[in-house]
Amino acid sequence: MMNLNTRPRVDGLDVARGIAVLGMFAAHVGAAATPFTWADPASWSALVHGRSSILFAFCAGVSLVLATAGRVDGPLARVTDRRRVAGRAIAVFALGAVLMVLQTPINVILPTYAVLFVATVPFLRARLRTLVLLAGTSLVVGPVVAVVGEALTGPGSGFVGDVLVRGYPAVSWWGIVLAGVVVGRAGLERGRALALLLVAGTGCALVGYGGGFLLCLGLGLEPPAPSTSVNAADLGGDSAGGSSVAVPPDGSVAPIGPTGPRASTWTGSD
């Protein structure tokens, strides 16, 4: 995805990218059509839903750092960074726009990636503490902004609204890319930094999954019923915003939101 000529390849990053790509393939063609639960081995393949695209966005943040590293900071280096990333963003955006025009039956995340690449460029050489604060704030505030923005704009908000606050909302996903930038800047070649990242990642996972589990218990919530995700356009609905439709076992149809950092229900997309 990125040209890493300025540094040796990072094997772990390549493995993570490969897992993300395979996971997105599995989410579209081979994953279980039931929510993931530890007690049901038949649902374990559903683990790829949502997590694959998040991992890919995270790796994109790391790759942005590696692709622009190795040069002394200065006006010329910053201009070069912007040109390199802008060229990739244009290519990714164009490919995503084509897929959206073709009315593919899945949510297209490529335009969101392109917007995130451009939005991240000014912060690639920021202080690490600034990046940590910005990533943390974006991860907390972004999903709220996306929910409010979607409620205010509605499904007819146009292409810009679809990319920013609907489908895969850029305001939510920016924090994930910035988290990848933080990891890339932390120093992947240093053992101590890798150990700290492992501890931090494990802690975040425990807080996220554990907190979500406790919140569900406290609110009396349960996982949604097994469903199959289909394209809203096939049912006479509007798929411009990237939304999908669930078909429960009883045959009734109910709209649900997309997966990702701000979604509250499982939909069966990557």
Side-chain angles (χ1 to χ4, degrees):
M1 181 173 56
M2 292 293 175
N3 184 4
L4 305 185
N5 293 332
T6 54
R7 287 187 181 183
R9 298 194 69 87
V10 180
D11 293 338
L13 179 61
D14 289 337
V15 171
R17 283 198 193 112
I19 293 174
V21 171
L22 291 175
M24 286 193 283
F25 273 113
H28 293 315
V29 300
T34 57
F36 170 78
T37 56
W38 288 108
D40 182 13
S43 71
W44 288 359
S45 62
L47 188 66
V48 298
H49 290 303
R51 298 170 180 84
S52 301
S53 50
I54 290 175
L55 177 59
F56 204 82
F58 180 83
C59 291
V62 180
S63 298
L64 285 172
V65 174
L66 297 180
T68 56
R71 295 185 297 276
V72 178
D73 190 15
L76 181 59
R78 293 174 184 267
V79 171
T80 303
D81 289 349
R82 292 187 177 96
R83 287 178 178 175
R84 296 179 67 179
V85 176
R88 289 162 173 79
I90 292 173
V92 170
F93 190 91
L95 179 58
V98 170
L99 293 175
M100 295 180 72
V101 170
L102 294 176
Q103 293 292 309
T104 55
I106 58 175
N107 293 341
V108 180
I109 196 174
L110 294 181
T112 298
Y113 278 150
V115 172
L116 295 177
F117 288 169
V118 175
T120 306
V121 170
F123 303 96
L124 290 176
R125 297 177 183 271
R127 297 176 58 184
L128 187 59
R129 180 178 301 178
T130 301
L131 287 171
V132 171
L133 291 175
L134 186 60
T137 301
S138 180
L139 288 170
V140 173
V141 177
V144 178
V145 174
V147 171
V148 174
E150 182 176 9
L152 293 177
T153 58
S157 57
F159 188 77
V160 174
D162 291 342
V163 171
L164 292 180
V165 297
R166 302 180 66 83
Y168 288 100
V171 292
S172 292
W173 286 75
W174 193 39
I176 299 173
V177 176
L178 287 174
V181 173
V182 170
V183 170
R185 288 282 304 277
L188 297 177
E189 68 281 357
R190 297 196 299 268
R192 181 181 179 185
L194 294 176
L196 289 175
L197 290 173
L198 177 61
V199 172
T202 302
C204 289
L206 291 175
V207 171
Y209 286 105
F213 177 75
L214 293 176
L215 182 62
C216 286
L217 287 181
L219 298 178
L221 302 176
E222 295 182 359
S227 62
T228 301
S229 181
V230 298
N231 188 8
D234 295 335
L235 298 171
D238 179 11
S239 61
S243 61
S244 56
V245 177
V247 182
D250 61 2
S252 60
V253 176
I256 57 179
T259 58
R262 69 168 180 81
S264 59
T265 54
W266 175 90
T267 62
S269 57
D270 59 342

